[in-house]
Amino acid sequence: MPKTIRELADELNVSKQTIQYHYQRLPANNRQKDSQGANVISPTAERIIKDKVAKPLVAKNQQTGSKKATKASEENNELVSTLRRELADLKSQRNKQLATKDRQIAHLIRLIDQQQQLQLTTVEENRELKAHIQKISGLLETSGPFQKRQNSTSEEDVYKNKSNKNWWHFW
């Protein structure tokens, strides 16, 4: 049963133009037209066109398949190498950050140790000062009556000096 160009193109999964091209290259006795003047393809012409179209498709699919596989594997290899480089960069950045953090922690620990030593020194000095103050206050308590006499005497001297230094005193 004769087929149209469109039917054969759909069957072979090629464009209508491809079938038209091969149809026009057939000998005149293999080309037919139906009653309406449309091109129809006889079974003999169909077999010839299928042979011509199928050979390039098979060869093209084999080449494309191998090219696609090669291209895909190359892209995968490039992607893997790119990811490995990025991973190595990230690891080196992480290691640098960890080293920096380790140095900062060590510095802070030294500062805390210094601060604790200073605090201990200050506490010890405060104890010594308290002991010294208690010692001095004990000495002052024992010399209390003598000091009171001295204070009262010095106040009297100041009062006498004030009275003698008045300006009207000279008149």
Side-chain angles (χ1 to χ4, degrees):
M1 171 169 176
K3 294 182 181 176
T4 63
I5 292 176
R6 175 173 283 172
E7 289 172 352
L8 186 60
D10 290 341
E11 184 180 317
L12 296 175
N13 290 327
V14 294
S15 68
K16 205 168 80 166
Q17 289 82 6
T18 303
I19 301 299
Q20 183 73 30
Y21 173 81
H22 291 292
Y23 179 76
Q24 290 175 355
R25 303 288 183 275
L26 291 174
N29 60 352
N30 288 335
R31 287 187 266 163
Q32 299 176 357
K33 295 196 184 257
D34 64 1
S35 60
Q36 297 172 349
N39 292 329
V40 289
I41 301 172
S42 66
T44 308
E46 181 180 342
R47 191 179 72 250
I48 295 170
I49 292 173
K50 278 185 180 180
D51 288 342
K52 289 183 179 181
V53 171
K55 287 180 184 177
L57 283 178
V58 170
K60 186 176 180 182
N61 284 341
Q62 288 174 351
Q63 289 176 353
T64 305
S66 64
K67 285 182 184 178
K68 284 181 182 176
T70 305
K71 189 173 183 180
S73 65
E74 287 176 6
E75 288 176 359
N76 287 341
N77 290 341
E78 288 177 21
L79 181 62
V80 167
S81 64
T82 302
L83 289 175
R84 284 185 179 158
R85 282 192 303 269
E86 288 179 11
L87 183 63
D89 290 343
L90 289 174
K91 282 182 179 179
S92 68
Q93 287 177 356
R94 181 197 61 197
N95 291 340
K96 287 177 185 177
Q97 289 175 349
L98 287 175
T100 302
K101 295 295 179 191
D102 288 344
R103 284 193 301 272
Q104 290 173 346
I105 289 170
H107 179 68
L108 289 174
I109 289 172
R110 278 195 309 268
L111 290 175
I112 289 172
D113 287 344
Q114 289 175 355
Q115 190 264 341
Q116 288 175 344
Q117 289 173 358
L118 286 172
Q119 193 171 11
L120 285 173
T121 305
T122 305
V123 167
E124 185 61 33
E125 287 176 357
N126 283 343
R127 285 183 187 154
E128 289 175 5
L129 287 174
K130 282 182 183 179
H132 187 66
I133 288 172
Q134 287 175 351
K135 188 178 187 182
I136 290 175
S137 66
L139 290 174
L140 288 177
E141 288 176 4
T142 57
S143 65
F146 173 73
Q147 193 175 16
K148 284 183 182 176
R149 259 186 273 135
Q150 278 185 344
N151 282 345
S152 63
T153 311
S154 65
E155 286 176 6
E156 289 173 3
D157 290 342
V158 169
Y159 181 70
K160 286 180 185 176
N161 286 343
K162 275 189 175 181
S163 62
N164 291 337
K165 291 185 180 179
N166 290 333
W167 62 273
W168 59 83
H169 179 71
F170 295 111
W171 290 27

